[in-house]
Amino acid sequence: MMTLPSLNSPPFIHREQLMRILFSPGRLYATAGVNHLISQGLDIRPLLSRHLRGDWGDIGDDDKLANDDAVRTHDDRILSAYAITPDIKIWILTDEGITTILLPSEY
């Protein structure tokens, strides 16, 4: 896994977006599969921004409620899922001060 740059390092997330972030991502990591997609031109910054602002993406209602509860209680994991194409989905998982960006097959 590769460590990603600090969230506060420009131009990662704009200052206006920091005002709406619901929780800290902690340390950021991306798996080999995601790093490959990044090398092919995928920009993960908008996905990470959505995750940190509470836009959980393509998950079920029960998971969305669990994420909302985890944000309120600062407990448990937070999972978002985003369809990049019909065949490619990205998961973003925050747990215990670590956020990992991965493909579902890498879980």
Side-chain angles (χ1 to χ4, degrees):
M1 262 191 283
M2 181 176 109
T3 303
L4 298 174
S6 168
L7 180 65
N8 295 320
S9 298
F12 200 67
I13 292 184
H14 297 282
R15 184 180 179 103
E16 306 81 54
Q17 291 174 306
L18 288 172
M19 303 290 275
R20 292 175 271 175
I21 289 177
L22 300 177
F23 59 95
S24 171
R27 295 187 58 90
L28 297 172
Y29 294 94
T31 60
V34 171
N35 282 324
H36 175 74
L37 293 174
I38 291 169
S39 74
Q40 299 296 311
L42 176 67
D43 184 359
I44 60 166
R45 293 173 296 182
L47 304 177
L48 181 59
S49 178
R50 288 176 62 187
H51 176 73
L52 297 175
R53 290 182 291 116
D55 173 356
W56 311 127
D58 307 315
I59 62 173
D61 290 340
D62 289 342
D63 289 325
K64 288 177 183 179
L65 290 173
N67 282 350
D68 291 342
D69 189 50
V71 168
R72 275 192 302 279
T73 63
H74 306 285
D75 189 31
D76 211 5
R77 64 138 177 96
I78 300 169
L79 174 68
S80 297
Y82 308 100
I84 305 304
T85 70
D87 298 328
I88 300 173
K89 187 176 263 193
I90 299 287
W91 284 1
I92 302 181
L93 177 66
T94 300
D95 194 15
E96 297 185 13
I98 297 172
T99 295
T100 305
I101 305 166
L102 66 156
L103 300 175
S105 62
E106 297 175 307
Y107 184 71

